[in-house]
Amino acid sequence: MFQILVKRALGENVTLFEVEAPRVARRHRAGQFVMLRPHAHSERIPLTIADVDRDRGSITLVVQAVGKTTFEMTERFFEGDSFSNVAGPLGNPTHIALPGKPEDFRGTVACVAGGIGAAPMLPIARAFREAGHEVVTILGARRKDLLVFEDRLGSASSELLVCTDDGSCGQKGFVTDVLKGLIESRRAAGGDVDLAIAIGPPIMMKFCSKTTQPFGVPTLVSLNTIMVDGTGMCGGCRVMVDGAAKYVCVDGPEFDGHHVDFDGMMRRQAMYRPEEIASLERYRENDPSCHLQPAVEAAVAEAEEAARPAAEGTTR
Amino acid sequence: MTDPGKPSLTPEELEARVEGRKGLTAKQRGQLPKIFWKEQDAADRVHNIREVPFAYTAIEARAEAVRCLTCKNEPCVTGCPVAVDVPGFLKLVAEGDFRGAIRLIKETNLLPAICGRVCPQESQCQENCMVAKVHKDLGFAVSVGKIEAFLADWEREEGGVELPAVGAPTGKRVAIIGAGPSGLTCAGDLRRLGHEAVIFEAFHKAGGVLVYGIPEFRLPKDIVEAEVDNLRQMGVAFEFDTVIGQTMTVDDLFDDGFDAVYVATGAGLPYFVNVPGEDLNGVYSANEYLTRANLMGAYRFPEEDTPVLRRDNVAVLGGGNVAMDAARTALRLGAKNVFLVYRRSRDEMPARLEEVHHAEEEGVQFRMLSAPVEILSTDKGWVRALKIQKCELGEPDEKGRRRPLPIEGAYEELPVEIVIEAIGNGPNPLIPKTTAGLTTTRHGTLVVDEATMMTTRKGVFAGGDIVAGASTVILAMGHGRKAAAAIDAYLKNESAQPAAFDAT
């Protein structure tokens, strides 16, 4: 069970796994996630499903190595190996509809993906396109080599707009700039953006929501908080939405971005930062021959001074 | 109350009691001193996770069993949710027939090693014990639970476990949802009746609350594993990582050829008090705290990858077994001050007496008649203190427990860095939400016909906390047993009708 059929490096510390999980593949709908436990001593981490192949009975996960568990997955697991546990699909599927619009209305959806948020965005973009909506995907990263899923998203979308912080690919700038430009140009031409969906680092989702708010464009964000069971049992994933505690695992993972307390969420995401660093350092010490050691060190340094918190296993 | 501080009898005295048992009148037996078991010293045990009480030795168990009066009306049997023949097995223990005794228990209770440790005996079998009545002290009741645990341990470690005989195959298949005490019991009984039993479990391990909730120091996990292994040997199949309602639905199970379904998904949904500050860093549900520590092994972090916060000062909200478990786990994770904050007084606490006693011995500081009103924050969003309001007891509520009334202006701040909420759990809504034809009560529990445990949908049975609300392991097991019998009857004669829903 849960054998790795394909493992492929997509970029710096970003790895794609196609994993055998027929029951998950059969039931999966866009927006859902799995809880994955790589081996018997691992944490259980939430990972959003990027793609499924029902014929092969497999699901695709894209993992960014940020902590011990995800580095271990990247470095110690190979094609033919198996993960101990994969449970899912969990969470509510994306509601493929435009809020406040008649059911037969076909409009425009802006899918805004930051970094490896591109992977979980793929099934969502595809589902809206299949439902007959225009899908404009905005894909952003810090640099060209951090862009993932450009091809897949390109073919799933009506239009793909790429941007990088340093201008090494596509437009130079943030996804928020491109999103704002898109809404303005559509409105100037008598059209509109009827729904925005943002998936990526918390800070990016926060600013996407801030960007769309003055325009009144409904905005969904897909959250990836720390979880233990993923089925509503522990409450560790709770996030404040409009002043009320919501469980990301069973109430989400998608919420109205205009009502999510992103600052509180980012603070909770950093709750185990010292433990995460200690765990990663210990892993590195135990494995001095590791060829990825520089990358581990860089990740530790980055985690220590990170302005934007990112939990282990953040893929959204 | 048990008092393990009291010395046991000398080996000679124990032998003499056992040898001379036949010459004793009932009155004399009732006057015999209770045999106290030894326990790990409180100062030592907070530094390890090993079990607190040491098991009786064989001679101690026999000498304690001699105290049973074998009352005609058997009040202990009446007090047991699964009606274990208590005087019957105690008599066999006194005679040294441990094999006979464990066989007798297993006729009604498949998991004695677990029940001996986690049942609230003082409100069940031991509550009405005539020996306690003679002494006018519940603490003098015959130690039924400790003897039961001894027998199960003896069987596992020395006697060799006798697996119940598996019935001739009936060709019928039953899906059981949830590998907790209720599901495990139901599966075992179904195998005895010859049905195929497949347990679907969301987690990666079997045991339910026995592995994620109850800590090692109260119920060693190798015991749970041994029981699960016995079921495996009886042919029970396990499918882990399967969240019914998500991975598959109940309808899928019928489509896959299952003839009946038993829903035993428990009360896994944690309640929060709903006071300001619950989203601060350092606030846990007891479910999360215990799951991290127990199931995920966070007490061994970083050997195990899952962390749990370790801080000097911890407040636990609640007065039940889960609150005691969380408080005692916090001590074992290195906390210096653990406050147990409860709105009512000690007398109203629903926890087992032994757990309250152990928690107190270990240094848990009880803050009774205290209601949490706010969790206070540092400037970085971490827990700084718990603000509590003192209460006094008012009139009894509908359950007969006296209601706590806040005293105006009487506030106190407990300086803590972690707050663990153990105020109760609700039924898990996943199955009711995703299964057509099931009816829930206003508490979210499933409506069943109490005689058969069948829900409002034909062929779907339910039991344990998903029906009873947060209850006990033994009651959940009792449901599992009752359901297995009813499922058997249903499979033989599918004319059985689903529960009628009475909205009152």
Side-chain angles (χ1 to χ4, degrees):
Chain A
M1 275 282 254
F2 314 126
Q3 196 183 43
I4 299 166
L5 305 175
V6 176
K7 179 189 177 187
R8 193 148 47 84
L10 293 187
E12 195 183 317
N13 293 341
V14 179
T15 309
L16 175 148
F17 292 96
E18 188 184 335
V19 183
E20 186 183 21
R23 288 193 308 206
V24 181
R26 192 170 61 208
R27 292 275 304 181
H28 165 262
R29 282 183 288 161
Q32 293 185 298
F33 64 96
V34 291
M35 293 301 296
L36 186 142
R37 180 169 168 261
H39 61 76
H41 301 281
S42 301
E43 291 186 90
R44 294 166 61 95
I45 60 169
L47 293 168
T48 308
I49 299 165
D51 211 347
V52 298
D53 185 330
R54 289 202 169 90
D55 296 332
R56 274 160 75 91
S58 68
I59 60 172
T60 296
L61 305 169
V62 175
V63 179
Q64 180 165 34
V66 291
K68 192 224 170 185
T69 307
T70 43
F71 266 107
E72 223 174 11
M73 284 174 71
T74 308
E75 296 168 0
R76 302 266 173 98
F77 286 84
F78 303 95
E79 287 179 7
D81 292 345
S82 292
F83 293 125
S84 277
N85 307 92
V86 177
L90 300 172
N92 299 297
T94 308
H95 188 46
I96 307 297
L98 302 179
K101 296 280 195 265
E103 226 172 82
D104 56 355
F105 180 87
R106 291 293 170 266
T108 301
V109 181
C111 291
V112 191
I116 61 158
M121 187 62 88
L122 178 66
I124 297 172
R126 204 181 267 154
F128 273 100
R129 186 94 184 278
E130 278 166 10
H133 301 288
E134 183 199 14
V135 173
V136 181
T137 298
I138 301 170
L139 174 62
R142 275 175 295 150
R143 304 185 305 269
K144 184 176 196 291
D145 58 321
L146 298 173
L147 287 168
V148 300
F149 267 37
E150 206 180 329
D151 294 348
R152 294 194 201 206
L153 272 176
S155 50
S157 314
S158 320
E159 192 182 344
L160 178 71
L161 305 172
V162 176
C163 64
T164 46
D165 296 4
D166 64 356
S168 53
C169 186
Q171 187 180 328
K172 182 176 192 301
F174 299 124
V175 287
T176 45
D177 303 329
V178 182
L179 177 60
K180 187 162 180 266
L182 176 70
I183 299 170
E184 283 169 345
S185 66
R186 287 300 166 107
R187 291 211 170 158
D192 206 351
V193 171
D194 301 292
L195 173 67
I197 305 170
I199 309 183
I203 196 81
M204 168 263 177
M205 293 192 281
K206 175 182 169 176
F207 282 102
C208 284
S209 302
K210 273 188 186 287
T211 302
T212 55
Q213 193 150 28
F215 293 100
V217 173
T219 302
L220 283 179
V221 293
S222 177
L223 306 183
N224 184 315
T225 51
I226 297 170
M227 296 182 188
V228 181
D229 62 286
T231 62
M233 271 185 51
C234 81
C237 64
R238 65 193 186 277
V239 60
M240 299 304 280
V241 180
D242 227 0
K246 295 284 178 191
Y247 288 8
V248 172
C249 64
V250 290
D251 298 323
E254 289 168 12
F255 294 97
D256 180 344
H258 297 151
H259 294 282
V260 170
D261 172 14
F262 286 103
D263 294 339
M265 181 182 108
M266 287 188 268
R267 169 173 49 69
R268 284 183 63 83
Q269 284 294 84
M271 197 152 132
Y272 297 100
R273 179 63 44 77
E275 287 81 5
E276 285 162 6
I277 291 169
S279 201
L280 188 55
E281 281 177 344
R282 185 171 176 275
Y283 170 68
R284 182 188 54 191
E285 279 160 19
N286 288 352
D287 188 13
S289 66
C290 171
H291 66 286
L292 279 168
Q293 192 174 334
V296 180
E297 276 164 12
V300 171
E302 193 177 327
E304 276 167 344
E305 64 193 50
R308 58 170 183 88
E312 287 211 348
T314 301
T315 51
R316 293 176 221 251
Chain B
M1 198 52 249
T2 54
D3 185 357
K6 291 189 183 165
S8 179
L9 304 185
T10 65
E12 294 74 25
E13 288 168 325
L14 290 167
E15 286 287 350
R17 181 189 292 187
V18 169
E19 289 305 315
R21 67 184 183 278
K22 295 235 162 78
L24 296 172
T25 64
K27 193 172 177 190
Q28 286 171 319
R29 290 205 301 272
Q31 296 297 336
L32 293 172
K34 183 175 171 110
I35 307 298
F36 289 99
W37 53 92
K38 296 173 188 62
E39 296 191 337
Q40 264 203 82
D41 186 65
D44 294 338
R45 71 193 190 222
V46 295
H47 300 297
N48 67 58
I49 56 155
R50 289 193 301 277
E51 195 174 10
V52 169
F54 293 119
Y56 274 140
T57 61
I59 191 71
E60 283 173 341
R62 292 184 66 187
E64 176 66 6
V66 170
R67 297 176 64 235
C68 175
L69 307 180
T70 53
C71 312
K72 281 262 175 327
N73 60 347
E74 303 182 329
C76 45
V77 181
T78 319
C80 176
V82 297
V84 167
D85 181 357
V86 177
F89 91 74
L90 290 178
K91 188 159 180 290
L92 292 167
V93 171
E95 287 163 9
D97 181 2
F98 300 148
R99 175 64 71 196
I102 193 75
R103 277 185 193 148
L104 188 57
I105 292 179
K106 284 194 164 181
E107 280 180 20
T108 46
N109 179 356
L110 261 185
L111 306 170
I114 293 165
C115 289
R117 289 173 166 86
V118 304
C119 270
Q121 285 94 5
E122 74 271 4
S123 56
Q124 298 179 344
C125 53
Q126 293 177 202
E127 184 179 28
N128 300 315
C129 177
M130 287 309 291
V131 183
K133 298 231 152 86
V134 169
H135 289 271
K136 296 192 171 60
D137 182 345
L138 199 51
F140 281 85
V142 177
S143 307
V144 178
K146 287 286 180 288
I147 297 175
E148 184 184 24
F150 158 79
L151 280 172
D153 293 354
W154 169 85
E155 185 196 32
R156 193 178 63 253
E157 287 159 16
E158 291 175 42
V161 174
E162 280 183 349
L163 292 179
V166 171
T170 60
K172 301 285 187 183
R173 304 175 70 213
V174 183
I176 292 143
I177 310 174
S182 200
L184 294 175
T185 306
C186 186
D189 276 7
L190 288 167
R191 289 300 299 138
R192 297 213 272 204
L193 296 162
H195 306 302
E196 201 179 307
V198 183
I199 303 187
F200 295 90
E201 167 59 41
F203 270 128
H204 51 267
K205 203 170 187 181
V209 70
L210 307 174
V211 293
Y212 75 73
I214 302 176
E216 176 79 16
F217 56 81
R218 198 147 79 80
L219 177 63
K221 298 310 153 215
D222 56 358
I223 289 176
V224 181
E225 267 165 41
E227 299 290 4
V228 169
D229 200 49
N230 291 343
L231 289 172
R232 257 197 206 102
Q233 289 184 46
M234 288 172 68
V236 174
F238 290 86
E239 298 245 10
F240 295 105
D241 307 307
T242 311
V243 186
I244 301 295
Q246 297 274 47
T247 313
M248 305 171 80
T249 61
V250 168
D251 293 281
D252 290 337
L253 295 172
F254 283 115
D255 289 347
D256 283 0
F258 284 100
D259 301 290
V261 173
Y262 181 59
V263 182
T265 46
L269 203 74
Y271 293 141
F272 284 84
V273 181
N274 218 358
V275 294
E278 285 177 327
D279 68 322
L280 294 174
N281 290 12
V283 181
Y284 283 108
S285 71
N287 261 8
E288 179 181 3
Y289 189 74
L290 292 172
T291 302
R292 284 177 176 274
N294 297 330
L295 179 74
M296 303 308 295
Y299 58 86
R300 283 195 299 268
F301 179 87
E303 273 76 40
E304 300 288 328
D305 290 342
T306 303
V308 67
L309 295 177
R310 292 169 182 252
R311 297 291 186 274
D312 286 346
N313 305 290
V314 177
V316 177
L317 314 183
N321 288 326
V322 178
M324 301 299 153
D325 287 346
R328 297 171 67 199
T329 298
L331 287 173
R332 284 158 177 79
L333 288 170
K336 295 194 176 80
N337 291 298
V338 176
F339 303 100
L340 190 113
V341 177
Y342 185 54
R343 295 187 305 154
R344 304 174 208 243
S345 77
R346 242 187 118 108
D347 292 343
E348 285 81 27
M349 282 203 298
R352 286 176 91 219
L353 283 179
E354 189 177 1
E355 310 314 327
V356 176
H357 176 68
H358 283 158
E360 203 160 39
E361 271 187 344
E362 290 169 9
V364 172
Q365 300 167 51
F366 286 17
R367 288 285 191 276
M368 297 294 101
L369 292 166
S370 302
V373 287
E374 187 178 357
I375 302 168
L376 304 171
S377 174
T378 67
D379 56 1
K380 295 265 196 310
W382 286 76
V383 173
R384 169 175 70 77
L386 175 72
K387 187 175 173 186
I388 55 178
Q389 183 171 20
K390 302 304 284 179
C391 298
E392 57 193 356
L393 288 180
E395 294 302 306
D397 63 12
E398 64 273 15
K399 285 180 184 161
R401 290 194 303 182
R402 294 182 65 191
R403 205 185 294 274
L405 302 171
I407 303 170
E408 209 174 312
Y411 294 105
E412 189 189 340
E413 280 183 21
L414 292 177
V416 294
E417 299 87 42
I418 293 178
V419 173
I420 303 166
E421 304 203 12
I423 58 154
N425 289 307
N428 194 314
L430 209 46
I431 302 281
K433 209 172 89 179
T434 57
T435 310
L438 298 183
T439 309
T440 50
T441 66
R442 65 191 165 92
H443 303 292
T445 52
L446 286 176
V447 172
V448 296
D449 177 332
E450 280 182 24
T452 64
M453 308 311 285
M454 200 195 284
T455 64
T456 49
R457 178 166 168 176
K458 199 172 177 212
V460 178
F461 299 74
D465 281 358
I466 187 71
V467 167
S471 179
T472 59
V473 167
I474 185 75
L475 192 81
M477 289 169 40
H479 280 179
R481 164 142 290 185
K482 201 200 259 185
I487 290 169
D488 182 55
Y490 168 78
L491 293 176
K492 286 174 177 154
N493 166 22
E494 293 196 5
S495 66
Q497 289 306 304
F501 176 57
D502 178 1
T504 52

